[in-house]
């Protein structure tokens, strides 16, 4: 069942990725060029998703927005995972007062309102992609740290770790050869599961006016621009970007959940006798 869900979600993601990569490249129109004589045109053969308030083709502009949002989300997920793996590995390997201090710091960061903290960081460097990446990554590494720490603590109790130590393996060899590689599946799952969160946060920041500037299309800026058009009857300016956002994030979430089911071994209570 998990493999089937993963294949379906992967197929949807491949379709979305091809749409984002090929449409802006193949289109014979520039999504940045405005044409107010063609503003707010309803979906048609010439403009499958209609046009926005500046006359720009939404079919092309949404594809460019997906590409921007997914690239930002991937950078956020990778950075958050790197931070979480580093913190969780340090806490799990060192233990003692270092473990307690690191985990209390993790609890403190986790207690902060993520969106509010992200707005504060982005507001200081408005329009900066680096600021958006940092604002999301610095608020989403805590769960990764907890998972990696728990995995390290579990691995330390495995018999093959004791056998390696009794055989004369150094502490560094045990860490680099056995413990760190064993956390790789969890880190990969964390990257995938963080992607939809990062996409939604980037879209929220841009929708609130704290993310990318309007001339740089992302799913968030497209939704923010749709507010004025929606009041004038341009429903398509909201429906199509929102639909693409939901489809992309749900597909990533389903793929990540299926990956976790396939890569995580069942617990003893879940095994059939």
């Amino acid at each position: 069942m998990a493999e089937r869900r993963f294949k379906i979600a992967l197929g949807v993601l491949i379709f979305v990725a091809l749409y984002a990569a090929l449409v802006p490249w193949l289109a014979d129109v520039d999504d940045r060029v405005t044409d107010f004589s063609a503003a707010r045109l309803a979906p048609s053969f010439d403009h499958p998703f209609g046009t926005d308030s500046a006359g720009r083709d939404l079919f092309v502009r949404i594809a460019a927005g997906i590409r921007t949002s997914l690239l930002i989300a991937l950078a956020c997920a990778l950075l958050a995972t790197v931070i979480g793996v580093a913190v969780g590995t340090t806490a799990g390997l060192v233990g003692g007062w270092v473990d307690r201090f690191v985990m209390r710091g993790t609890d403190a960061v986790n207690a902060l309102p993520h969106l509010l903290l992200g707005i504060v960081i982005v507001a200081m460097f408005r329009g900066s992609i680096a600021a958006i990446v940092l604002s999301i990554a610095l608020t989403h590494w805590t769960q990764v740290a907890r998972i990696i720490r728990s995995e390290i603590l579990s691995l330390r109790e495995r018999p093959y770790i004791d056998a390696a130590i009794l055989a004369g393996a150094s502490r560094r060899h045990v860490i680099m050869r056995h413990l760190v590689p064993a956390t790789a599946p969890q880190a990969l799952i964390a990257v995938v599961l963080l992607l939809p969160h990062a996409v939604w946060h980037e879209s929220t920041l841009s929708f609130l006016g704290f993310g990318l500037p309007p001339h740089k299309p992302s799913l968030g800026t497209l939704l923010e621009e749709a507010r004025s058009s929606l009041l004038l009857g341009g429903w398509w300016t909201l429906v199509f970007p929102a639909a693409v956002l939901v489809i992309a994030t749900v597909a990533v979430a389903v793929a990540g959940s299926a990956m976790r089911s396939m890569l995580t071994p069942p617990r003893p209570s879940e095994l059939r006798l």
Side-chain angles (χ1 to χ4, degrees):
M1 185 63 180
E3 293 182 2
R4 182 180 179 184
R5 288 190 288 116
F6 178 76
K7 290 179 180 178
I8 294 174
L10 184 61
V12 173
L13 287 176
I14 291 174
F15 177 79
V16 172
L18 290 175
Y19 168 58
L22 297 180
V23 168
W25 179 55
L26 295 175
D28 57 354
V29 296
D30 190 343
D31 67 282
R32 297 169 296 180
V33 176
T34 59
D35 181 10
F36 291 98
S37 63
R40 298 189 186 91
L41 294 179
S44 62
F45 181 79
D46 293 330
H47 305 286
F49 289 173
T51 61
D52 62 9
S53 59
R56 294 168 295 196
D57 188 278
L58 280 176
F59 185 71
V60 179
R61 195 161 169 79
I62 290 173
I66 296 172
R67 183 165 56 185
T68 301
S69 293
L70 288 181
L71 288 176
I72 292 176
L74 181 60
C76 295
L78 289 173
L79 181 57
T81 301
V82 169
I83 297 173
V85 169
V87 173
T89 302
T90 301
L93 291 177
V94 179
W97 68 269
V98 173
D99 181 23
R100 293 191 293 272
F101 176 79
V102 168
M103 297 315 296
R104 294 299 76 77
T106 302
D107 292 337
V109 174
N110 198 44
L112 297 173
H114 293 174
L115 182 58
L116 182 59
L117 183 59
I119 290 175
V120 171
I121 296 174
V122 174
M124 294 186 294
F125 307 95
R126 180 168 293 188
S128 171
I129 293 179
I132 297 174
V133 172
L134 284 175
S135 69
I136 298 174
L138 293 178
T139 56
H140 285 76
W141 58 267
T142 54
Q143 295 301 321
V144 181
R146 289 181 175 278
I147 293 172
I148 296 299
R149 172 184 176 270
S150 177
E151 188 72 13
I152 291 291
L153 292 177
S154 174
L155 290 170
R156 288 174 58 180
E157 304 299 326
R158 301 289 174 87
Y160 70 87
I161 298 297
D162 294 333
I165 295 174
L166 291 175
S170 64
R171 179 183 178 86
R172 183 178 182 278
H173 176 82
V174 171
I175 292 173
M176 301 305 297
R177 179 66 176 82
H178 298 290
L179 296 181
V180 173
T183 63
Q186 295 295 337
L188 177 60
I189 294 172
V191 171
V192 177
L193 293 179
L194 280 173
L195 276 174
H197 290 281
V199 171
W200 278 103
H201 272 260
E202 183 277 324
S203 300
T204 302
L205 291 172
S206 296
F207 178 78
L208 294 175
F210 292 97
L212 296 175
H215 69 276
K216 292 183 179 180
S218 74
L219 294 178
T221 57
L222 292 174
L223 292 174
E224 195 278 331
E225 293 172 0
R227 289 190 296 179
S228 59
S229 296
L230 186 63
L231 296 175
L232 298 175
W235 55 267
W236 55 89
T237 61
L238 175 66
V239 169
F240 290 114
V244 171
L245 173 62
V246 171
I247 290 172
T249 52
V250 169
V252 173
V254 171
S257 177
M259 283 181 58
R260 181 167 54 186
S261 299
M262 292 187 295
L263 296 178
T264 303
R267 297 177 182 178
S269 60
E270 298 174 347
L271 297 175
R272 295 182 179 180
L273 299 178

